[in-house]
């Protein structure tokens, strides 16, 4: 890749091991809600041309939904390969792009080099902002019990907690979290305290990772490598790409694949056998079917309570749903996404 589109690092396998997420936290995802700090960077693009400039870079449409839009998408190379993904919130003349921490420098580089200063300027707000994510089946009820507004899916609002300014954004239905709350870093504790009072359980980054894997949501540097295009990791299914908006960087490749072809590999779930004598091997990413390598394991997680391993893998399209493969050295069944969150404990 060029200097304008910095290189994506070699992929790693994200792994949530036994003990990282206790069974009671899994149950809160299924029948309650958790709140946890997100390991993300926050970049603000501000100025009269912020929205139009960002529209010309992002795979999703941030103009059509209007002010208050909150959408997921990616910035691509001219050849249509993902450089960084994230959630973009539009409020007034500002677009706030929340990206994985490992994509911070790449996102900032693209914005600085692609957007003329006379139109908009990029400000890194990561050190100033706390970003909390609320996940779980009852997240909406818990936000209401905490006395905070719940915007519609795909929208963001500005509000206050006492005299503390907040931005509350609600993700799309398939997302691994329901709400993203952004506040000044010094107010993180106060916001979490209010959410706990409303019924949320405090969790950590590992719980958010488990929620992401259960949702079948891609992660930069795991599901996304330097040659990944959006359709290979489910952007059509999760609403990460628009085929009706105007031009953006990399659109030609993405549109041509959508209208005239198909992706040769897809993001799939792996359901490992419960009676396997050992966990999926570390450092072994191959997915094999009939002695033929058909993909790579990208994420693995132990689901406490259900007491089984699940995973994500990028697999060749000809591997059928329901096929039994060997992934990371263990037998697993290929399944559609998202996973069902299992009940924990007695029914």
């Amino acid at each position: 890749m060029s200097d304008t589109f910095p290189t994506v690092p070699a992929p790693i396998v994200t792994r949530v091991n036994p003990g990282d997420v206790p069974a009671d936290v899994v149950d809160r995802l299924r029948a309650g809600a958790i709140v946890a700090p997100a390991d993300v960077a926050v970049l603000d693009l501000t100025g009269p041309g912020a929205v139009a400039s960002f529209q010309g870079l992002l795979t999703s449409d941030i103009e059509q939904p209007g002010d208050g839009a909150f959408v997921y998408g990616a910035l691509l190379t001219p050849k249509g390969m993902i450089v960084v993904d994230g959630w973009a919130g539009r409020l007034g003349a500002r677009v706030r792009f929340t990206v994985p921490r490992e994509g911070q420098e790449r996102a900032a580089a693209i914005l600085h080099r692609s957007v003329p200063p006379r139109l908009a300027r990029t400000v890194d707000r990561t050190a100033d902002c706390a970003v909390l994510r609320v996940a779980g089946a009852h997240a909406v009820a818990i936000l209401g019990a905490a006395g905070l507004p719940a915007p519609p899916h795909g929208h963001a609002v500005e509000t206050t907690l006492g005299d503390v300014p907040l931005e509350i954004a609600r993700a799309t239905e398939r997302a691994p979290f329901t709400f993203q709350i952004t506040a000044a870093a010094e107010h993180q504790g106060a916001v979490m305290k209010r959410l706990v009072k409303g019924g949320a359980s405090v969790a950590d980054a590992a719980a958010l990772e488990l929620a992401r894997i259960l949702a079948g949501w891609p992660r930069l540097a795991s599901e996304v490598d330097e040659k990944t295009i959006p359709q290979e990791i489910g952007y059509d299914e999760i609403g990460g790409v628009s085929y009706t908006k105007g031009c953006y960087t990399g659109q030609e490749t993405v549109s041509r694949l959508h209208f005239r072809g198909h992706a040769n590999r897809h993001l799939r779930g792996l359901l490992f056998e419960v009676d396997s004598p050992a966990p999926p091997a570390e450092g072994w990413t191959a997915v094999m079917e009939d002695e033929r390598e058909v993909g790579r394991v990208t994420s693995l997680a132990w689901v406490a309570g259900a007491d089984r391993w699940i995973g994500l893998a990028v697999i060749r399209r000809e591997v059928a749903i329901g096929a039994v493969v060997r992934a990371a050295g263990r037998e697993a069944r290929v399944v559609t996404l998202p996973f069902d969150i299992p009940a924990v404990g007695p029914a």
Side-chain angles (χ1 to χ4, degrees):
M1 297 184 188
S2 68
D3 290 339
T4 305
F5 300 92
T7 302
V8 175
I12 60 171
V13 177
T14 297
R15 192 177 181 107
V16 179
N17 286 308
D20 289 350
V21 183
D24 64 306
V25 174
V26 177
D27 203 37
R28 294 297 292 173
L29 285 170
R30 184 188 65 83
I34 64 165
V35 56
D39 186 20
V40 294
V42 179
L43 302 174
D44 281 357
L45 189 66
T46 58
V51 174
S53 297
F54 206 78
Q55 177 80 344
L57 296 171
L58 192 70
T59 55
S60 289
D61 194 335
I62 198 169
E63 281 191 343
Q64 190 277 330
D67 194 29
F70 184 65
V71 301
Y72 174 78
L75 309 184
L76 309 179
T77 70
K79 294 183 178 180
M81 298 171 188
I82 296 172
V83 180
V84 61
D85 66 326
W87 289 88
R90 170 187 171 186
L91 286 168
R94 184 204 74 196
V95 176
R96 173 162 288 171
F97 197 32
T98 306
V99 302
R101 190 70 68 117
E102 55 266 39
Q104 179 177 0
E105 292 184 5
R106 296 193 290 283
I110 291 175
L111 294 177
H112 281 301
R113 295 171 185 176
S114 301
V115 181
R118 62 184 174 81
L119 296 179
R121 293 184 178 273
T122 302
V123 180
D124 192 327
R125 298 290 309 281
T126 306
D128 306 329
C129 291
V131 178
L132 303 174
R133 284 179 173 164
V134 183
H138 293 173
V140 175
I142 283 173
L143 218 69
L148 297 173
H153 287 292
H155 287 82
V157 297
E158 292 179 306
T159 186
T160 58
L161 176 60
D163 58 354
V164 175
L166 302 178
E167 180 182 305
I168 300 178
R170 187 171 178 181
T172 51
E173 290 191 60
R174 262 288 304 271
F177 62 91
T178 304
F179 296 105
Q180 175 175 287
I181 302 175
T182 307
E186 62 266 27
H187 298 308
Q188 174 177 310
V191 178
M192 291 190 74
K193 184 176 180 180
R194 175 62 69 91
L195 290 166
V196 169
K197 187 176 180 181
S201 296
V202 175
D204 58 16
L208 292 179
E209 273 302 309
L210 177 60
R212 178 190 69 81
I213 294 168
L214 285 164
W217 203 270
R219 173 177 172 153
L220 190 68
S222 288
E223 283 68 39
V224 180
D225 63 22
E226 65 177 3
K227 295 182 179 180
T228 302
I229 54 178
Q231 291 99 326
E232 293 177 326
I233 52 172
Y235 268 43
D236 286 346
E237 291 78 19
I238 65 177
V241 60
S242 169
Y243 298 106
T244 58
K245 65 175 283 188
C247 295
Y248 58 89
T249 301
Q251 181 192 37
E252 182 178 353
T253 299
V254 173
S255 294
R256 185 169 62 245
L257 184 66
H258 176 72
F259 291 110
R260 300 183 184 177
H262 57 258
N264 290 325
R265 53 184 190 163
H266 297 287
L267 183 62
R268 297 289 188 237
L270 296 173
L271 200 60
F272 287 87
E273 299 299 327
V274 293
D275 57 354
S276 177
E282 295 192 40
W284 190 355
T285 63
V287 178
M288 309 292 295
E289 184 184 40
D290 298 330
E291 307 303 320
R292 181 172 67 103
E293 187 168 342
V294 293
R296 65 179 178 89
V297 176
T298 57
S299 295
L300 294 165
W302 173 257
V303 184
D307 294 340
R308 74 183 308 161
W309 286 92
I310 63 171
L312 301 177
V314 179
I315 299 175
R316 291 195 60 82
R317 63 187 295 266
E318 60 265 26
V319 179
I321 300 297
V324 175
V325 296
R326 284 190 69 80
R330 303 291 178 262
E331 282 198 353
R333 188 171 300 278
V334 177
V335 297
T336 56
L337 296 167
F339 293 98
D340 291 327
I341 302 178
V344 176

